[in-house]
Amino acid sequence: DEVPSKEQLPGLLAASDVLGTGWFAADAADVKPGATVAVVGDGAVGLLGVLSAKQMGAERIIAMSRHAARQALARDFGATDIVTERGDEGVARIKELTRGIGADSVLECVGTQESMMQAIRCTRPGGHVGHVGVPHGVELDGEGLFFSHVHLHGGPAPVRHYLPKLIDLVLNGKINPGKVFDLTLPLDQVAEGYRAMDERRAIKTLLRP
């Protein structure tokens, strides 16, 4: 058996968690070749959702982010457009970029009321929302959802299902999801790693023994 190189380890680590979740978001959102995709959330999962949508053949990928470093990584992973606005303004900007129609597929990678509503409202009628942000305080209005004509699918990511493909993509150098690790700390500084992510000083922390 071949041992992965030291350079490949961050990518494989990402595949076991955040990449699998981002991939599921894109899969649940039914991303198809040539599609227009919007990604709500610029954490590790959202950024790898951008990468996943690119791998699935999306032609246009709109990343919603207000942070320069995360915007740069989103572009590196395949984003074609960056939207900094949120809420009503964010929805209006997506509509503007899509000739008033909305995106074919939207990846919701946050889990707040605002992010979920933004995702649904950015989606074209008949489009798909893949939601993987763990919901906290999300309540959907039945009538609003009814008339939106949007497909909604998501939940905990079945990462093991995608792992063989994701591992293959990493080992063959087709993708480098390990770029989401922008802070490396020793294992005994795990609390600082979580603190850095919570305070948005880091996208994702890599711990080494």
PDB file of all heavy atoms in Angstrom, residues 78-112:
ATOM      1  N   GLY A  78     -12.763  28.004  -7.734  1.00  0.00           N
ATOM      2  CA  GLY A  78     -13.627  28.000  -8.909  1.00  0.00           C
ATOM      3  C   GLY A  78     -14.746  29.024  -8.946  1.00  0.00           C
ATOM      4  O   GLY A  78     -15.536  29.046  -9.902  1.00  0.00           O
ATOM      5  N   ALA A  79     -14.857  29.873  -7.913  1.00  0.00           N
ATOM      6  CA  ALA A  79     -15.914  30.894  -7.928  1.00  0.00           C
ATOM      7  C   ALA A  79     -15.672  31.873  -9.068  1.00  0.00           C
ATOM      8  O   ALA A  79     -14.541  32.302  -9.301  1.00  0.00           O
ATOM      9  CB  ALA A  79     -15.969  31.637  -6.603  1.00  0.00           C
ATOM     10  N   THR A  80     -16.749  32.229  -9.783  1.00  0.00           N
ATOM     11  CA  THR A  80     -16.647  33.184 -10.883  1.00  0.00           C
ATOM     12  C   THR A  80     -17.105  34.572 -10.449  1.00  0.00           C
ATOM     13  O   THR A  80     -16.752  35.567 -11.064  1.00  0.00           O
ATOM     14  CB  THR A  80     -17.510  32.729 -12.073  1.00  0.00           C
ATOM     15  OG1 THR A  80     -18.849  32.502 -11.613  1.00  0.00           O
ATOM     16  CG2 THR A  80     -16.967  31.438 -12.679  1.00  0.00           C
ATOM     17  N   ASP A  81     -17.920  34.635  -9.407  1.00  0.00           N
ATOM     18  CA  ASP A  81     -18.454  35.904  -8.915  1.00  0.00           C
ATOM     19  C   ASP A  81     -18.423  35.906  -7.386  1.00  0.00           C
ATOM     20  O   ASP A  81     -18.574  34.855  -6.762  1.00  0.00           O
ATOM     21  CB  ASP A  81     -19.918  36.100  -9.349  1.00  0.00           C
ATOM     22  CG  ASP A  81     -20.088  36.079 -10.854  1.00  0.00           C
ATOM     23  OD1 ASP A  81     -20.243  34.980 -11.423  1.00  0.00           O
ATOM     24  OD2 ASP A  81     -20.078  37.161 -11.463  1.00  0.00           O
ATOM     25  N   ILE A  82     -18.245  37.096  -6.816  1.00  0.00           N
ATOM     26  CA  ILE A  82     -18.305  37.263  -5.364  1.00  0.00           C
ATOM     27  C   ILE A  82     -19.418  38.252  -5.043  1.00  0.00           C
ATOM     28  O   ILE A  82     -19.494  39.327  -5.656  1.00  0.00           O
ATOM     29  CB  ILE A  82     -16.971  37.809  -4.790  1.00  0.00           C
ATOM     30  CG1 ILE A  82     -15.795  36.892  -5.140  1.00  0.00           C
ATOM     31  CG2 ILE A  82     -17.085  38.026  -3.279  1.00  0.00           C
ATOM     32  CD1 ILE A  82     -15.760  35.549  -4.437  1.00  0.00           C
ATOM     33  N   VAL A  83     -20.280  37.891  -4.099  1.00  0.00           N
ATOM     34  CA  VAL A  83     -21.329  38.803  -3.641  1.00  0.00           C
ATOM     35  C   VAL A  83     -21.078  39.098  -2.168  1.00  0.00           C
ATOM     36  O   VAL A  83     -20.994  38.180  -1.346  1.00  0.00           O
ATOM     37  CB  VAL A  83     -22.731  38.180  -3.848  1.00  0.00           C
ATOM     38  CG1 VAL A  83     -23.796  38.974  -3.098  1.00  0.00           C
ATOM     39  CG2 VAL A  83     -23.074  38.133  -5.330  1.00  0.00           C
ATOM     40  N   THR A  84     -20.930  40.376  -1.840  1.00  0.00           N
ATOM     41  CA  THR A  84     -20.646  40.752  -0.453  1.00  0.00           C
ATOM     42  C   THR A  84     -21.920  41.115   0.316  1.00  0.00           C
ATOM     43  O   THR A  84     -21.929  41.137   1.538  1.00  0.00           O
ATOM     44  CB  THR A  84     -19.679  41.957  -0.394  1.00  0.00           C
ATOM     45  OG1 THR A  84     -20.243  43.042  -1.137  1.00  0.00           O
ATOM     46  CG2 THR A  84     -18.321  41.604  -0.984  1.00  0.00           C
ATOM     47  N   GLU A  85     -22.995  41.400  -0.418  1.00  0.00           N
ATOM     48  CA  GLU A  85     -24.240  41.789   0.238  1.00  0.00           C
ATOM     49  C   GLU A  85     -24.905  40.592   0.914  1.00  0.00           C
ATOM     50  O   GLU A  85     -24.704  39.445   0.515  1.00  0.00           O
ATOM     51  CB  GLU A  85     -25.219  42.395  -0.787  1.00  0.00           C
ATOM     52  CG  GLU A  85     -24.734  43.692  -1.417  1.00  0.00           C
ATOM     53  CD  GLU A  85     -23.897  43.477  -2.664  1.00  0.00           C
ATOM     54  OE1 GLU A  85     -23.467  42.326  -2.920  1.00  0.00           O
ATOM     55  OE2 GLU A  85     -23.656  44.456  -3.385  1.00  0.00           O
ATOM     56  N   ARG A  86     -25.741  40.898   1.912  1.00  0.00           N
ATOM     57  CA  ARG A  86     -26.494  39.851   2.610  1.00  0.00           C
ATOM     58  C   ARG A  86     -27.979  40.214   2.632  1.00  0.00           C
ATOM     59  O   ARG A  86     -28.356  41.319   2.241  1.00  0.00           O
ATOM     60  CB  ARG A  86     -25.994  39.701   4.048  1.00  0.00           C
ATOM     61  CG  ARG A  86     -24.635  39.068   4.158  1.00  0.00           C
ATOM     62  CD  ARG A  86     -24.253  38.845   5.615  1.00  0.00           C
ATOM     63  NE  ARG A  86     -22.886  38.364   5.727  1.00  0.00           N
ATOM     64  CZ  ARG A  86     -22.195  38.342   6.842  1.00  0.00           C
ATOM     65  NH1 ARG A  86     -22.756  38.794   7.965  1.00  0.00           N
ATOM     66  NH2 ARG A  86     -20.964  37.885   6.876  1.00  0.00           N
ATOM     67  N   GLY A  87     -28.792  39.286   3.128  1.00  0.00           N
ATOM     68  CA  GLY A  87     -30.212  39.561   3.288  1.00  0.00           C
ATOM     69  C   GLY A  87     -30.870  39.959   1.978  1.00  0.00           C
ATOM     70  O   GLY A  87     -30.577  39.384   0.924  1.00  0.00           O
ATOM     71  N   ASP A  88     -31.768  40.945   2.047  1.00  0.00           N
ATOM     72  CA  ASP A  88     -32.491  41.400   0.861  1.00  0.00           C
ATOM     73  C   ASP A  88     -31.534  41.863  -0.241  1.00  0.00           C
ATOM     74  O   ASP A  88     -31.756  41.589  -1.417  1.00  0.00           O
ATOM     75  CB  ASP A  88     -33.436  42.561   1.213  1.00  0.00           C
ATOM     76  CG  ASP A  88     -34.592  42.109   2.096  1.00  0.00           C
ATOM     77  OD1 ASP A  88     -34.829  40.886   2.183  1.00  0.00           O
ATOM     78  OD2 ASP A  88     -35.256  42.978   2.698  1.00  0.00           O
ATOM     79  N   GLU A  89     -30.473  42.578   0.163  1.00  0.00           N
ATOM     80  CA  GLU A  89     -29.506  43.068  -0.826  1.00  0.00           C
ATOM     81  C   GLU A  89     -28.773  41.910  -1.498  1.00  0.00           C
ATOM     82  O   GLU A  89     -28.516  41.952  -2.701  1.00  0.00           O
ATOM     83  CB  GLU A  89     -28.470  44.011  -0.183  1.00  0.00           C
ATOM     84  CG  GLU A  89     -29.010  45.363   0.197  1.00  0.00           C
ATOM     85  CD  GLU A  89     -29.562  45.397   1.623  1.00  0.00           C
ATOM     86  OE1 GLU A  89     -29.305  44.441   2.373  1.00  0.00           O
ATOM     87  OE2 GLU A  89     -30.262  46.372   1.957  1.00  0.00           O
ATOM     88  N   GLY A  90     -28.462  40.876  -0.710  1.00  0.00           N
ATOM     89  CA  GLY A  90     -27.788  39.704  -1.265  1.00  0.00           C
ATOM     90  C   GLY A  90     -28.662  38.988  -2.285  1.00  0.00           C
ATOM     91  O   GLY A  90     -28.201  38.590  -3.361  1.00  0.00           O
ATOM     92  N   VAL A  91     -29.945  38.840  -1.957  1.00  0.00           N
ATOM     93  CA  VAL A  91     -30.894  38.203  -2.871  1.00  0.00           C
ATOM     94  C   VAL A  91     -31.016  39.036  -4.149  1.00  0.00           C
ATOM     95  O   VAL A  91     -30.967  38.500  -5.270  1.00  0.00           O
ATOM     96  CB  VAL A  91     -32.284  38.042  -2.205  1.00  0.00           C
ATOM     97  CG1 VAL A  91     -33.309  37.551  -3.219  1.00  0.00           C
ATOM     98  CG2 VAL A  91     -32.199  37.077  -1.025  1.00  0.00           C
ATOM     99  N   ALA A  92     -31.133  40.353  -3.982  1.00  0.00           N
ATOM    100  CA  ALA A  92     -31.260  41.245  -5.145  1.00  0.00           C
ATOM    101  C   ALA A  92     -30.035  41.155  -6.052  1.00  0.00           C
ATOM    102  O   ALA A  92     -30.155  41.154  -7.284  1.00  0.00           O
ATOM    103  CB  ALA A  92     -31.464  42.680  -4.675  1.00  0.00           C
ATOM    104  N   ARG A  93     -28.860  41.043  -5.438  1.00  0.00           N
ATOM    105  CA  ARG A  93     -27.612  40.960  -6.220  1.00  0.00           C
ATOM    106  C   ARG A  93     -27.555  39.652  -7.007  1.00  0.00           C
ATOM    107  O   ARG A  93     -27.160  39.639  -8.179  1.00  0.00           O
ATOM    108  CB  ARG A  93     -26.418  41.071  -5.268  1.00  0.00           C
ATOM    109  CG  ARG A  93     -25.081  41.151  -5.957  1.00  0.00           C
ATOM    110  CD  ARG A  93     -24.799  42.537  -6.517  1.00  0.00           C
ATOM    111  NE  ARG A  93     -23.527  42.528  -7.239  1.00  0.00           N
ATOM    112  CZ  ARG A  93     -23.428  42.586  -8.564  1.00  0.00           C
ATOM    113  NH1 ARG A  93     -24.502  42.676  -9.314  1.00  0.00           N
ATOM    114  NH2 ARG A  93     -22.262  42.575  -9.157  1.00  0.00           N
ATOM    115  N   ILE A  94     -27.953  38.556  -6.390  1.00  0.00           N
ATOM    116  CA  ILE A  94     -27.969  37.264  -7.100  1.00  0.00           C
ATOM    117  C   ILE A  94     -28.962  37.334  -8.265  1.00  0.00           C
ATOM    118  O   ILE A  94     -28.676  36.872  -9.377  1.00  0.00           O
ATOM    119  CB  ILE A  94     -28.372  36.115  -6.152  1.00  0.00           C
ATOM    120  CG1 ILE A  94     -27.346  35.956  -5.026  1.00  0.00           C
ATOM    121  CG2 ILE A  94     -28.547  34.806  -6.929  1.00  0.00           C
ATOM    122  CD1 ILE A  94     -26.173  35.080  -5.286  1.00  0.00           C
ATOM    123  N   LYS A  95     -30.125  37.914  -8.015  1.00  0.00           N
ATOM    124  CA  LYS A  95     -31.132  38.048  -9.077  1.00  0.00           C
ATOM    125  C   LYS A  95     -30.576  38.899 -10.225  1.00  0.00           C
ATOM    126  O   LYS A  95     -30.772  38.606 -11.407  1.00  0.00           O
ATOM    127  CB  LYS A  95     -32.422  38.665  -8.522  1.00  0.00           C
ATOM    128  CG  LYS A  95     -33.217  37.745  -7.593  1.00  0.00           C
ATOM    129  CD  LYS A  95     -33.896  36.631  -8.377  1.00  0.00           C
ATOM    130  CE  LYS A  95     -34.663  35.660  -7.503  1.00  0.00           C
ATOM    131  NZ  LYS A  95     -35.894  36.220  -6.937  1.00  0.00           N
ATOM    132  N   GLU A  96     -29.861  39.961  -9.857  1.00  0.00           N
ATOM    133  CA  GLU A  96     -29.264  40.851 -10.856  1.00  0.00           C
ATOM    134  C   GLU A  96     -28.250  40.093 -11.718  1.00  0.00           C
ATOM    135  O   GLU A  96     -28.209  40.257 -12.948  1.00  0.00           O
ATOM    136  CB  GLU A  96     -28.579  42.011 -10.120  1.00  0.00           C
ATOM    137  CG  GLU A  96     -28.074  43.136 -11.005  1.00  0.00           C
ATOM    138  CD  GLU A  96     -27.332  44.187 -10.181  1.00  0.00           C
ATOM    139  OE1 GLU A  96     -27.832  44.573  -9.093  1.00  0.00           O
ATOM    140  OE2 GLU A  96     -26.246  44.604 -10.606  1.00  0.00           O
ATOM    141  N   LEU A  97     -27.445  39.260 -11.068  1.00  0.00           N
ATOM    142  CA  LEU A  97     -26.412  38.495 -11.781  1.00  0.00           C
ATOM    143  C   LEU A  97     -27.001  37.391 -12.649  1.00  0.00           C
ATOM    144  O   LEU A  97     -26.321  36.871 -13.538  1.00  0.00           O
ATOM    145  CB  LEU A  97     -25.422  37.880 -10.771  1.00  0.00           C
ATOM    146  CG  LEU A  97     -24.483  38.848 -10.048  1.00  0.00           C
ATOM    147  CD1 LEU A  97     -23.769  38.154  -8.899  1.00  0.00           C
ATOM    148  CD2 LEU A  97     -23.463  39.438 -11.034  1.00  0.00           C
ATOM    149  N   THR A  98     -28.244  37.004 -12.358  1.00  0.00           N
ATOM    150  CA  THR A  98     -28.870  35.891 -13.088  1.00  0.00           C
ATOM    151  C   THR A  98     -30.061  36.362 -13.924  1.00  0.00           C
ATOM    152  O   THR A  98     -31.004  35.604 -14.142  1.00  0.00           O
ATOM    153  CB  THR A  98     -29.308  34.782 -12.108  1.00  0.00           C
ATOM    154  OG1 THR A  98     -30.196  35.355 -11.114  1.00  0.00           O
ATOM    155  CG2 THR A  98     -28.121  34.157 -11.393  1.00  0.00           C
ATOM    156  N   ARG A  99     -29.988  37.604 -14.362  1.00  0.00           N
ATOM    157  CA  ARG A  99     -31.035  38.187 -15.220  1.00  0.00           C
ATOM    158  C   ARG A  99     -32.432  38.050 -14.605  1.00  0.00           C
ATOM    159  O   ARG A  99     -33.415  37.762 -15.289  1.00  0.00           O
ATOM    160  CB  ARG A  99     -31.011  37.564 -16.619  1.00  0.00           C
ATOM    161  CG  ARG A  99     -29.683  37.705 -17.352  1.00  0.00           C
ATOM    162  CD  ARG A  99     -29.772  37.369 -18.817  1.00  0.00           C
ATOM    163  NE  ARG A  99     -30.420  36.096 -19.072  1.00  0.00           N
ATOM    164  CZ  ARG A  99     -29.808  34.904 -19.000  1.00  0.00           C
ATOM    165  NH1 ARG A  99     -28.533  34.853 -18.642  1.00  0.00           N
ATOM    166  NH2 ARG A  99     -30.454  33.798 -19.268  1.00  0.00           N
ATOM    167  N   GLY A 100     -32.488  38.216 -13.287  1.00  0.00           N
ATOM    168  CA  GLY A 100     -33.769  38.217 -12.589  1.00  0.00           C
ATOM    169  C   GLY A 100     -34.352  36.845 -12.294  1.00  0.00           C
ATOM    170  O   GLY A 100     -35.427  36.740 -11.700  1.00  0.00           O
ATOM    171  N   ILE A 101     -33.624  35.791 -12.654  1.00  0.00           N
ATOM    172  CA  ILE A 101     -34.177  34.431 -12.538  1.00  0.00           C
ATOM    173  C   ILE A 101     -33.840  33.769 -11.196  1.00  0.00           C
ATOM    174  O   ILE A 101     -34.693  33.164 -10.558  1.00  0.00           O
ATOM    175  CB  ILE A 101     -33.662  33.544 -13.693  1.00  0.00           C
ATOM    176  CG1 ILE A 101     -34.118  34.103 -15.042  1.00  0.00           C
ATOM    177  CG2 ILE A 101     -34.140  32.096 -13.519  1.00  0.00           C
ATOM    178  CD1 ILE A 101     -33.406  33.499 -16.233  1.00  0.00           C
ATOM    179  N   GLY A 102     -32.609  33.891 -10.774  1.00  0.00           N
ATOM    180  CA  GLY A 102     -32.132  33.172  -9.598  1.00  0.00           C
ATOM    181  C   GLY A 102     -31.200  32.045 -10.012  1.00  0.00           C
ATOM    182  O   GLY A 102     -31.078  31.721 -11.204  1.00  0.00           O
ATOM    183  N   ALA A 103     -30.524  31.449  -9.052  1.00  0.00           N
ATOM    184  CA  ALA A 103     -29.562  30.379  -9.336  1.00  0.00           C
ATOM    185  C   ALA A 103     -30.270  29.040  -9.507  1.00  0.00           C
ATOM    186  O   ALA A 103     -31.313  28.793  -8.919  1.00  0.00           O
ATOM    187  CB  ALA A 103     -28.546  30.291  -8.201  1.00  0.00           C
ATOM    188  N   ASP A 104     -29.680  28.167 -10.328  1.00  0.00           N
ATOM    189  CA  ASP A 104     -30.227  26.813 -10.513  1.00  0.00           C
ATOM    190  C   ASP A 104     -30.093  26.005  -9.221  1.00  0.00           C
ATOM    191  O   ASP A 104     -31.001  25.255  -8.850  1.00  0.00           O
ATOM    192  CB  ASP A 104     -29.461  26.074 -11.620  1.00  0.00           C
ATOM    193  CG  ASP A 104     -29.509  26.801 -12.948  1.00  0.00           C
ATOM    194  OD1 ASP A 104     -30.621  27.124 -13.399  1.00  0.00           O
ATOM    195  OD2 ASP A 104     -28.430  27.059 -13.525  1.00  0.00           O
ATOM    196  N   SER A 105     -28.948  26.157  -8.571  1.00  0.00           N
ATOM    197  CA  SER A 105     -28.641  25.402  -7.358  1.00  0.00           C
ATOM    198  C   SER A 105     -28.047  26.344  -6.322  1.00  0.00           C
ATOM    199  O   SER A 105     -27.202  27.176  -6.659  1.00  0.00           O
ATOM    200  CB  SER A 105     -27.622  24.292  -7.653  1.00  0.00           C
ATOM    201  OG  SER A 105     -28.114  23.388  -8.630  1.00  0.00           O
ATOM    202  N   VAL A 106     -28.493  26.205  -5.077  1.00  0.00           N
ATOM    203  CA  VAL A 106     -27.940  27.033  -3.997  1.00  0.00           C
ATOM    204  C   VAL A 106     -27.501  26.127  -2.850  1.00  0.00           C
ATOM    205  O   VAL A 106     -28.247  25.242  -2.426  1.00  0.00           O
ATOM    206  CB  VAL A 106     -28.962  28.076  -3.495  1.00  0.00           C
ATOM    207  CG1 VAL A 106     -28.376  28.902  -2.360  1.00  0.00           C
ATOM    208  CG2 VAL A 106     -29.393  29.000  -4.631  1.00  0.00           C
ATOM    209  N   LEU A 107     -26.268  26.346  -2.383  1.00  0.00           N
ATOM    210  CA  LEU A 107     -25.712  25.568  -1.278  1.00  0.00           C
ATOM    211  C   LEU A 107     -25.810  26.402  -0.007  1.00  0.00           C
ATOM    212  O   LEU A 107     -25.224  27.492   0.061  1.00  0.00           O
ATOM    213  CB  LEU A 107     -24.251  25.215  -1.549  1.00  0.00           C
ATOM    214  CG  LEU A 107     -23.949  24.082  -2.532  1.00  0.00           C
ATOM    215  CD1 LEU A 107     -24.632  24.283  -3.884  1.00  0.00           C
ATOM    216  CD2 LEU A 107     -22.441  23.941  -2.726  1.00  0.00           C
ATOM    217  N   GLU A 108     -26.570  25.927   0.969  1.00  0.00           N
ATOM    218  CA  GLU A 108     -26.730  26.646   2.239  1.00  0.00           C
ATOM    219  C   GLU A 108     -25.810  25.979   3.264  1.00  0.00           C
ATOM    220  O   GLU A 108     -26.050  24.852   3.683  1.00  0.00           O
ATOM    221  CB  GLU A 108     -28.203  26.591   2.669  1.00  0.00           C
ATOM    222  CG  GLU A 108     -28.545  27.561   3.787  1.00  0.00           C
ATOM    223  CD  GLU A 108     -28.014  27.123   5.136  1.00  0.00           C
ATOM    224  OE1 GLU A 108     -28.298  25.978   5.546  1.00  0.00           O
ATOM    225  OE2 GLU A 108     -27.304  27.916   5.786  1.00  0.00           O
ATOM    226  N   CYS A 109     -24.767  26.708   3.670  1.00  0.00           N
ATOM    227  CA  CYS A 109     -23.707  26.121   4.501  1.00  0.00           C
ATOM    228  C   CYS A 109     -23.511  26.868   5.811  1.00  0.00           C
ATOM    229  O   CYS A 109     -22.392  26.936   6.333  1.00  0.00           O
ATOM    230  CB  CYS A 109     -22.397  26.092   3.711  1.00  0.00           C
ATOM    231  SG  CYS A 109     -22.515  25.277   2.107  1.00  0.00           S
ATOM    232  N   VAL A 110     -24.584  27.442   6.348  1.00  0.00           N
ATOM    233  CA  VAL A 110     -24.487  28.200   7.594  1.00  0.00           C
ATOM    234  C   VAL A 110     -25.437  27.645   8.656  1.00  0.00           C
ATOM    235  O   VAL A 110     -25.020  27.225   9.732  1.00  0.00           O
ATOM    236  CB  VAL A 110     -24.772  29.705   7.373  1.00  0.00           C
ATOM    237  CG1 VAL A 110     -24.559  30.484   8.670  1.00  0.00           C
ATOM    238  CG2 VAL A 110     -23.905  30.279   6.262  1.00  0.00           C
ATOM    239  N   GLY A 111     -26.738  27.667   8.346  1.00  0.00           N
ATOM    240  CA  GLY A 111     -27.710  27.096   9.280  1.00  0.00           C
ATOM    241  C   GLY A 111     -28.497  28.104  10.094  1.00  0.00           C
ATOM    242  O   GLY A 111     -29.182  27.724  11.040  1.00  0.00           O
ATOM    243  N   THR A 112     -28.413  29.397   9.736  1.00  0.00           N
ATOM    244  CA  THR A 112     -29.210  30.400  10.454  1.00  0.00           C
ATOM    245  C   THR A 112     -30.509  30.682   9.690  1.00  0.00           C
ATOM    246  O   THR A 112     -30.639  30.318   8.516  1.00  0.00           O
ATOM    247  CB  THR A 112     -28.442  31.727  10.602  1.00  0.00           C
ATOM    248  OG1 THR A 112     -28.181  32.258   9.290  1.00  0.00           O
ATOM    249  CG2 THR A 112     -27.136  31.538  11.347  1.00  0.00           C
TER     250      THR A 112
END
